[in-house]
Amino acid sequence: MQNKYASNNIALMLCFLVSLVGLYACSTIHQFYVRATTIVNGNVNETLPVVLIHGYLSDANVWKKWEDLLKKDHIPVFSISFNQSDDKCGSAAEHAEELSSLISNVKDQTNQNKVNIVGHSKGGLDARVYLANNTQDVENLIMIGTPNAGSLLAENNDICAPAVYDLKPGAADTKVKENPNVKYYTIAGDWNPARGNCDLSLFSPMQLEGYNKLSKPNDGMVSLSSVESLKYSSSLGHSQSCHSNLLGEFEYNLAKDVLEGHN
């Protein structure tokens, strides 16, 4: 009799285990189905890789904060360094030509057909020149403090040539045509030295001088009106930081919806 009860208990236990396995299998299949459905609907991997382009007299190190924030939000990020031309002082035309291969490499690494570009200052002009060829591999361009109509501070200035020539009012790169395949956005600085918001940097003396020389509002190097001069671009908002401080968490949050594909 005892063996009979033992056998029954073992049988019940086996049934229970089989049920658990069945439930786990069903749950796993359900999760796979939901994930597969999500992929089909385009919600997984909806966040395109982000290509970060630094500005005049700068390099990829300026993007450290944004790199950390993008990684935290699980967005693939690639900070660009130009190797085929002068990285800090190369012309927009040279940088735009190199962008073709750099963006192609990003697409290959991420298995995506398109990228988003964020350009700081002249980096936005580099991207605009690249896009002027009606390329179809960029979804959005966000220009932060980009002198889309030039900057008066570049007049009679040969520092970091030929890059500085691209910043002059009327320069060819400021007049390139719109790419109809791309959405253009801007973030501009509305800075006042009395409020601070400008860490000490190589550009600090120039920004203090520029604040007084440029039409207001400005970020110390580029007027807000120049940043927002393109009729086909949309503003994501204004920052109270100076030009060299426009790459913080505040500006990232202004751009985040676009970068996450919510635009």
Side-chain angles (χ1 to χ4, degrees), residues 74-95:
H74 309 292
I75 300 175
V77 55
F78 298 83
S79 298
I80 292 299
S81 293
F82 296 98
N83 300 312
Q84 297 174 10
S85 57
D86 192 315
D87 187 41
K88 293 187 176 184
C89 300
S91 70
E94 291 172 324
H95 285 183

Side-chain angles (χ1 to χ4, degrees), residues 55-56 120-122 144-147 189 191 197-198 203 207 218-222 227 241-247:
Y56 160 79
H120 176 233
S121 194
K122 177 180 168 289
I144 304 176
T146 294
W191 176 57
N197 297 328
C198 192
F203 295 105
Q207 289 173 132
N218 64 66
D219 62 14
M221 295 190 74
V222 181
V227 177
S241 292
C242 68
H243 189 80
S244 59
N245 265 43
L246 289 174
L247 301 180

Side-chain angles (χ1 to χ4, degrees), residues 68-214:
D68 293 341
L69 292 167
L70 286 162
K71 290 174 184 176
K72 181 181 177 182
D73 289 329
H74 309 292
I75 300 175
V77 55
F78 298 83
S79 298
I80 292 299
S81 293
F82 296 98
N83 300 312
Q84 297 174 10
S85 57
D86 192 315
D87 187 41
K88 293 187 176 184
C89 300
S91 70
E94 291 172 324
H95 285 183
E97 184 176 353
E98 190 171 349
L99 275 174
S100 180
S101 60
L102 292 170
I103 290 175
S104 180
N105 289 336
V106 170
K107 292 189 297 181
D108 288 343
Q109 290 183 53
T110 58
N111 197 30
Q112 292 279 10
N113 294 322
K114 288 190 173 185
V115 303
N116 287 322
I117 295 179
V118 180
H120 176 233
S121 194
K122 177 180 168 289
L125 296 176
D126 295 349
R128 281 183 59 196
V129 175
Y130 171 72
L131 295 175
N133 294 319
N134 282 333
T135 52
Q136 299 186 25
D137 53 11
V138 177
E139 185 75 17
N140 302 289
L141 168 61
I142 299 175
M143 299 169 286
I144 304 176
T146 294
N148 284 309
S151 173
L152 291 176
L153 297 186
E155 294 282 5
N156 304 316
N157 186 348
D158 291 325
I159 298 174
C160 197
V164 69
Y165 304 144
D166 292 316
L167 308 178
K168 297 180 183 294
D173 57 307
T174 67
K175 297 181 177 181
V176 294
K177 63 181 180 179
E178 174 190 7
N179 185 325
N181 306 306
V182 180
K183 294 179 181 177
Y184 293 74
Y185 299 93
T186 62
I187 295 174
D190 179 0
W191 176 57
N192 187 325
R195 292 194 300 257
N197 297 328
C198 192
D199 295 336
L200 293 176
S201 75
L202 175 67
F203 295 105
S204 293
M206 187 184 300
Q207 289 173 132
L208 287 170
E209 182 181 358
Y211 173 77
N212 294 315
K213 282 187 175 182
L214 296 172

